[in-house]
Amino acid sequence: MISPEIYLERMFSFAREAGGIALDLVGHSDPGFKKDHSIITLADKAISKLARDKLGDFLQKPGHILIDEEDPGSIEYLDQKRLDQSSFIWAVDPIDGTRLYANRMPLFGISIGLIKDLKPWLGVVYFPMLKELFYCDGAEAYFVQDAFGPNQTKTRIVPLDEELSARSLFFCNDTFFDKFFCDTKDFHIMIHACAVVNLCWPAIGRGVGCFLKCHLWDFAGSWPIIRRAGFDLRRVSDGRVLDRVEADLFNREPLSWHMKEYYLISSERNFRQILSKIGRRTPC
């Protein structure tokens, strides 16, 4: 049985090298479009290849699978029997916030999560331009400044549970207002168009939570981190906490591994209060 430290060290190594690739290519990333009209860059492709190279020895072992945004073959694992046979699910988002990256903006991240027995376990999220890193070692979560640098400092993440006020920031994706409206007198909405920003920043008090409907790889690295900060992914329709991977929770088409429903990420105390301020738009 390999210790979590061995897995985590490989995840750090991947994040550090992937960050270097992203920074090297940011000025000439050659952005293009995939079939679903999402953006892909040279960095996405290079970091996806790096993930397979770095994790190759683990992926050869029984029970290990990789779900990578840039690998169309990942859809083969979207089957509950296949998932039940997988003791370890590696989920990688080579560049989260690709639109921001393609426009040379700093709010993009590199995310890698390791899900054990279908539950969140280890996670690393790295923001190369900000030199900030978030990670969970399976027991605790940490925020690192000047990550991989000579003045690196590490702070343990603890639950903050900020009371909602006019100072509070709540994060949404860029399509939120297409289907929802929000009474923002008690807090203010900010849109970054980057899932790992929306998830990780509240863990250190840079917001009170977020609203999302995304792919598994978008939240897998952040998932164990935010749970140590007292946040959960609660389904908007019924408040159910997402605490394990289940195939039925994700679509196969047109976007594989995309959540079927919306989730609100917050502390338990703030969930109902935030949800009470959000309503669905009536179709015209």
Side-chain angles (χ1 to χ4, degrees):
M1 184 68 180
I2 298 177
S3 70
E5 289 79 10
I6 299 297
Y7 290 125
L8 194 62
E9 185 55 41
R10 189 72 59 88
M11 296 164 80
F12 286 147
S13 177
F14 163 76
R16 182 175 58 250
E17 290 186 39
I21 291 171
L23 293 177
D24 287 344
L25 294 175
V26 70
H28 46 94
S29 64
D30 191 24
F33 294 94
K34 294 185 275 190
K35 290 182 179 180
D36 63 2
H37 303 294
S38 62
I39 299 171
I40 186 167
T41 70
L42 292 176
D44 291 282
K45 298 173 185 178
I47 295 171
S48 175
K49 181 181 182 303
L50 175 69
R52 294 192 171 278
D53 292 343
K54 297 291 287 187
L55 303 176
D57 55 336
F58 294 136
L59 297 175
Q60 291 176 9
K61 299 177 184 297
H64 286 256
I65 63 173
L66 171 62
I67 298 174
D68 173 5
E69 178 181 11
E70 306 309 335
D71 177 16
S74 294
I75 193 173
E76 71 176 281
Y77 300 120
L78 189 44
D79 175 85
Q80 195 60 48
K81 289 183 179 179
R82 292 294 301 273
L83 293 175
D84 289 340
Q85 296 168 358
S86 304
S87 300
F88 297 96
I89 302 172
W90 298 87
V92 171
D93 192 343
I95 298 283
D96 189 276
T98 312
R99 187 185 303 114
L100 299 174
Y101 177 78
N103 285 280
R104 300 180 299 281
M105 299 173 70
L107 293 185
F108 67 88
I110 293 158
S111 176
I112 179 169
L114 182 54
I115 297 163
K116 180 181 179 183
D117 298 326
L118 304 184
K119 295 183 178 181
W121 186 39
L122 307 178
V124 174
V125 180
Y126 180 39
F127 298 92
M129 279 195 174
L130 303 179
K131 297 183 179 180
E132 293 183 350
L133 182 140
F134 296 75
Y135 76 92
C136 177
D137 64 8
E140 302 286 354
Y142 298 90
F143 170 55
V144 182
Q145 294 173 286
D146 192 31
F148 307 121
N151 299 311
Q152 177 173 294
T153 58
K154 182 172 72 172
T155 305
R156 187 168 68 91
I157 293 174
V158 297
L160 297 176
D161 197 13
E162 176 185 329
E163 185 175 352
L164 297 182
S165 72
R167 184 184 72 85
S168 302
L169 294 174
F170 182 73
F171 305 137
C172 298
N173 58 23
D174 50 357
T175 60
F176 175 82
F177 288 104
D178 293 344
K179 295 186 177 182
F180 298 91
F181 63 89
C182 186
D183 176 358
T184 58
K185 291 193 295 290
D186 294 330
F187 54 87
H188 293 273
I189 283 181
M190 180 175 285
I191 297 176
H192 296 107
C194 179
V196 290
V197 168
N198 295 349
L199 288 160
C200 287
W201 278 17
I204 56 171
R206 291 178 180 169
V208 294
C210 68
F211 194 90
L212 58 73
K213 182 181 180 184
C214 62
H215 298 85
L216 175 65
W217 48 75
D218 290 314
F219 69 88
S222 310
W223 197 6
I225 297 166
I226 64 173
R227 299 199 79 188
R228 299 315 188 278
F231 292 82
D232 273 307
L233 288 82
R234 291 181 173 84
R235 194 159 59 188
V236 168
S237 61
D238 58 8
R240 178 191 171 189
V241 171
L242 180 63
D243 58 4
R244 69 191 303 271
V245 175
E246 298 175 17
D248 287 346
L249 299 177
F250 301 91
N251 289 309
R252 294 184 65 87
E253 296 179 346
L255 301 174
S256 66
W257 285 106
H258 193 260
M259 290 172 156
K260 292 181 178 179
E261 297 195 49
Y262 289 91
Y263 287 79
L264 194 159
I265 290 79
S266 71
S267 66
E268 182 177 6
R269 179 184 65 171
N270 286 339
F271 174 72
R272 289 297 172 190
Q273 188 174 349
I274 294 173
L275 190 60
S276 71
K277 305 295 182 180
I278 297 173
R280 284 187 178 268
R281 292 189 183 280
T282 303
C284 296

